[in-house]
Amino acid sequence: MKGALQLVFAAVLVAAPSGVAAWGALGHETTGYVAMQFIGSKTLSAVQSSLGSTFNFSLGPAATWADTVRSETAFKFSAPFHFIDAEDNPPTSCSVDISRDCGSAGCVISAIQNYTERVQETKLSATQHQQALLFITHFIGDIGQPLHDEALELGGNDIDAICDGSSTNLHAAWDTGMLEKNLDANFSGDPQVYAASLATRITSGDFKSLAAGWVSCIEPSALNSTACPLIWAQEANAFDCTNVFDFKTGQDLCDSAYYTAAIPVIDLQLAKQGYRLAKWLDAIFE
Ligand SMILES: *[C@@H]1O[C@H](CO)[C@@H](O)[C@H](O)[C@H]1NC(C)=O
Ligand SMILES: *[C@@H]1O[C@H](CO)[C@@H](O)[C@H](O)[C@H]1NC(C)=O
Ligand SMILES: *[C@@H]1O[C@H](CO)[C@@H](O)[C@H](O)[C@H]1NC(C)=O
Ligand SMILES: *[C@@H]1O[C@H](CO)[C@@H](O)[C@H](O)[C@H]1NC(C)=O
Ligand SMILES: [Zn+2]
């Protein structure tokens, strides 16, 4: 999983030197910018003073930090925190089970719990609080990507795939390939424009009736537990049985019915995780 992500990261650096770093960077920035539209005023102050100008005072740019440090020696420990290796059997049966799937090195569910506690721990330093906030922001994005909640073929990294004629793998197609195509075609390639569109769908569009249900688990007493992250992982993992593995060898994932079915899933997951991030941070800071 790490190798493929580093490749994706390197490709993004070469192809887009002006972009932030290598969901992929676009997905993470999108969830961060969606969250910025929904956080309360106390959360906004806390977030802005913690992130500072390094992250342009915004969860959008901050959301990619955890990917940029995961290969550094000092942050190697955080590599398993980006996913949970669900040992289920897609597309026949999908499930996430913490005791079965969250290894001794930790996983995205235990990491969200850990950094949620640490961001509230008054004895920790400002730097430690900032790192906790950066990790929460990133991992609430990762947990919504169906292949970050799947062990099969290294979360799809070991499955060859094609996206718009280019060779890739299934994991990267979901992290970046399909997302980039949709962003370029519909949102000027700009995650802020995409996030604004998702936020409008939450406020007054087709997501409006769903949004309360997305965050129904979030309350102060649930913050320090794995209850909410487990639900989020199970929800994303369910798409491994409906969409993710539903393709034929050689099919172009970015130019077929597979793509048309995947885009609404990606929109939903990014909108949902951005909204959840906002309400999770509000439960901490408001
Ligand atoms: C930084 O934030 C400001 C204010 O929200 C925005 O106008 C600007 O585009 C942002 N800069 C970058 C590089 O994202
Ligand atoms: C919690 O975070 C700290 C600081 O990054 C880390 O050293 C520790 O291993 C984490 N614990 C768990 C259970 O993830
Ligand atoms: C959660 O953990 C933090 C940090 O240890 C603590 O300050 C807070 O009271 C805990 N909240 C609940 C609801 O247990
Ligand atoms: C543009 O967005 C629409 C609506 O979500 C989607 O159906 C379509 O596939 C997108 N176009 C491309 C090229 O991604
Ligand atoms: Zn990640």
Side-chain angles (χ1 to χ4, degrees), residues 198-219:
L198 295 176
T200 302
R201 290 170 68 181
I202 293 171
T203 311
S204 54
D206 58 330
F207 291 150
K208 189 179 178 192
S209 60
L210 305 174
W214 294 346
V215 295
S216 59
C217 136
I218 300 175
E219 45 183 293

Short mmCIF file of all heavy atoms in Angstrom, two decimals, residues 198-219:
data_model
loop_
_atom_site.label_atom_id
_atom_site.label_comp_id
_atom_site.label_asym_id
_atom_site.label_seq_id
_atom_site.Cartn_x
_atom_site.Cartn_y
_atom_site.Cartn_z
N LEU A 198 -20.30 20.49 -3.30
CA LEU A 198 -20.76 19.46 -2.33
C LEU A 198 -21.44 20.14 -1.14
O LEU A 198 -22.48 19.65 -0.65
CB LEU A 198 -19.59 18.60 -1.86
CG LEU A 198 -18.90 17.73 -2.93
CD1 LEU A 198 -17.70 17.00 -2.32
CD2 LEU A 198 -19.87 16.72 -3.55
N ALA A 199 -20.89 21.27 -0.69
CA ALA A 199 -21.48 21.98 0.46
C ALA A 199 -22.89 22.48 0.11
O ALA A 199 -23.80 22.42 0.95
CB ALA A 199 -20.58 23.13 0.89
N THR A 200 -23.07 22.95 -1.11
CA THR A 200 -24.41 23.41 -1.53
C THR A 200 -25.39 22.25 -1.57
O THR A 200 -26.55 22.39 -1.19
CB THR A 200 -24.33 24.09 -2.92
OG1 THR A 200 -23.41 25.17 -2.82
CG2 THR A 200 -25.68 24.60 -3.37
N ARG A 201 -24.92 21.09 -2.00
CA ARG A 201 -25.80 19.91 -2.00
C ARG A 201 -26.19 19.52 -0.57
O ARG A 201 -27.29 19.03 -0.33
CB ARG A 201 -25.12 18.74 -2.73
CG ARG A 201 -25.01 18.99 -4.24
CD ARG A 201 -24.14 17.96 -4.94
NE ARG A 201 -24.75 16.62 -4.95
CZ ARG A 201 -24.16 15.55 -5.49
NH1 ARG A 201 -22.96 15.67 -6.07
NH2 ARG A 201 -24.76 14.38 -5.48
N ILE A 202 -25.28 19.75 0.38
CA ILE A 202 -25.59 19.44 1.79
C ILE A 202 -26.58 20.47 2.35
O ILE A 202 -27.52 20.13 3.07
CB ILE A 202 -24.29 19.42 2.64
CG1 ILE A 202 -23.40 18.25 2.23
CG2 ILE A 202 -24.63 19.36 4.13
CD1 ILE A 202 -22.00 18.27 2.85
N THR A 203 -26.36 21.74 2.01
CA THR A 203 -27.18 22.81 2.58
C THR A 203 -28.58 22.84 1.99
O THR A 203 -29.55 23.03 2.70
CB THR A 203 -26.49 24.17 2.33
OG1 THR A 203 -25.13 24.06 2.72
CG2 THR A 203 -27.14 25.27 3.12
N SER A 204 -28.66 22.65 0.67
CA SER A 204 -29.97 22.85 0.03
C SER A 204 -30.26 21.89 -1.11
O SER A 204 -31.24 22.06 -1.81
CB SER A 204 -30.06 24.29 -0.49
OG SER A 204 -28.95 24.56 -1.34
N GLY A 205 -29.43 20.88 -1.30
CA GLY A 205 -29.64 19.96 -2.42
C GLY A 205 -29.96 18.54 -2.00
O GLY A 205 -30.56 18.32 -0.96
N ASP A 206 -29.54 17.60 -2.83
CA ASP A 206 -29.93 16.20 -2.62
C ASP A 206 -29.34 15.57 -1.36
O ASP A 206 -29.83 14.52 -0.91
CB ASP A 206 -29.58 15.36 -3.86
CG ASP A 206 -28.09 15.42 -4.21
OD1 ASP A 206 -27.44 16.46 -3.94
OD2 ASP A 206 -27.57 14.44 -4.74
N PHE A 207 -28.31 16.17 -0.78
CA PHE A 207 -27.75 15.61 0.46
C PHE A 207 -28.43 16.17 1.72
O PHE A 207 -28.17 15.71 2.83
CB PHE A 207 -26.24 15.90 0.55
CG PHE A 207 -25.39 15.16 -0.46
CD1 PHE A 207 -24.20 15.72 -0.93
CD2 PHE A 207 -25.75 13.90 -0.94
CE1 PHE A 207 -23.40 15.04 -1.85
CE2 PHE A 207 -24.97 13.22 -1.86
CZ PHE A 207 -23.79 13.79 -2.32
N LYS A 208 -29.28 17.19 1.54
CA LYS A 208 -29.84 17.88 2.70
C LYS A 208 -30.59 16.93 3.65
O LYS A 208 -30.44 16.99 4.86
CB LYS A 208 -30.78 19.00 2.25
CG LYS A 208 -31.24 19.89 3.38
CD LYS A 208 -32.15 21.01 2.92
CE LYS A 208 -32.60 21.82 4.13
NZ LYS A 208 -33.69 22.73 3.80
N SER A 209 -31.37 16.03 3.06
CA SER A 209 -32.19 15.13 3.90
C SER A 209 -31.34 14.03 4.53
O SER A 209 -31.81 13.32 5.43
CB SER A 209 -33.29 14.51 3.05
OG SER A 209 -32.71 13.78 1.99
N LEU A 210 -30.10 13.87 4.05
CA LEU A 210 -29.25 12.79 4.57
C LEU A 210 -28.31 13.26 5.68
O LEU A 210 -27.87 12.46 6.51
CB LEU A 210 -28.39 12.21 3.43
CG LEU A 210 -29.12 11.73 2.18
CD1 LEU A 210 -28.11 11.32 1.10
CD2 LEU A 210 -30.03 10.55 2.53
N ALA A 211 -28.01 14.56 5.67
CA ALA A 211 -26.89 15.05 6.48
C ALA A 211 -27.05 14.76 7.98
O ALA A 211 -26.08 14.39 8.64
CB ALA A 211 -26.68 16.54 6.23
N ALA A 212 -28.25 14.92 8.51
CA ALA A 212 -28.44 14.68 9.95
C ALA A 212 -28.09 13.23 10.30
O ALA A 212 -27.48 12.95 11.34
CB ALA A 212 -29.86 15.01 10.36
N GLY A 213 -28.46 12.31 9.42
CA GLY A 213 -28.16 10.89 9.65
C GLY A 213 -26.65 10.61 9.61
O GLY A 213 -26.16 9.75 10.33
N TRP A 214 -25.94 11.36 8.77
CA TRP A 214 -24.48 11.15 8.67
C TRP A 214 -23.79 11.39 10.01
O TRP A 214 -22.75 10.79 10.28
CB TRP A 214 -23.85 12.13 7.65
CG TRP A 214 -24.27 11.91 6.24
CD1 TRP A 214 -24.91 10.83 5.70
CD2 TRP A 214 -24.05 12.83 5.15
NE1 TRP A 214 -25.11 11.03 4.35
CE2 TRP A 214 -24.58 12.22 3.99
CE3 TRP A 214 -23.45 14.09 5.05
CZ2 TRP A 214 -24.54 12.86 2.74
CZ3 TRP A 214 -23.41 14.71 3.81
CH2 TRP A 214 -23.95 14.09 2.67
N VAL A 215 -24.33 12.31 10.81
CA VAL A 215 -23.64 12.71 12.04
C VAL A 215 -24.40 12.32 13.30
O VAL A 215 -24.09 12.80 14.39
CB VAL A 215 -23.36 14.24 12.03
CG1 VAL A 215 -22.39 14.58 10.91
CG2 VAL A 215 -24.64 15.06 11.90
N SER A 216 -25.37 11.41 13.15
CA SER A 216 -26.22 11.09 14.30
C SER A 216 -25.43 10.43 15.42
O SER A 216 -25.82 10.49 16.59
CB SER A 216 -27.39 10.20 13.87
OG SER A 216 -26.90 9.01 13.30
N CYS A 217 -24.33 9.81 15.10
CA CYS A 217 -23.54 9.14 16.13
C CYS A 217 -22.67 10.11 16.93
O CYS A 217 -22.17 9.78 18.01
CB CYS A 217 -22.72 8.06 15.45
SG CYS A 217 -21.05 7.92 15.92
N ILE A 218 -22.48 11.33 16.39
CA ILE A 218 -21.53 12.26 17.01
C ILE A 218 -22.16 13.00 18.18
O ILE A 218 -23.09 13.79 18.01
CB ILE A 218 -20.99 13.27 15.98
CG1 ILE A 218 -20.27 12.53 14.84
CG2 ILE A 218 -20.06 14.28 16.66
CD1 ILE A 218 -19.79 13.42 13.71
N GLU A 219 -21.67 12.72 19.37
CA GLU A 219 -22.06 13.46 20.55
C GLU A 219 -20.88 13.41 21.51
O GLU A 219 -19.99 12.57 21.37
CB GLU A 219 -23.32 12.88 21.18
CG GLU A 219 -23.33 11.37 21.29
CD GLU A 219 -24.64 10.87 21.85
OE1 GLU A 219 -24.90 11.15 23.03
OE2 GLU A 219 -25.39 10.20 21.12
#
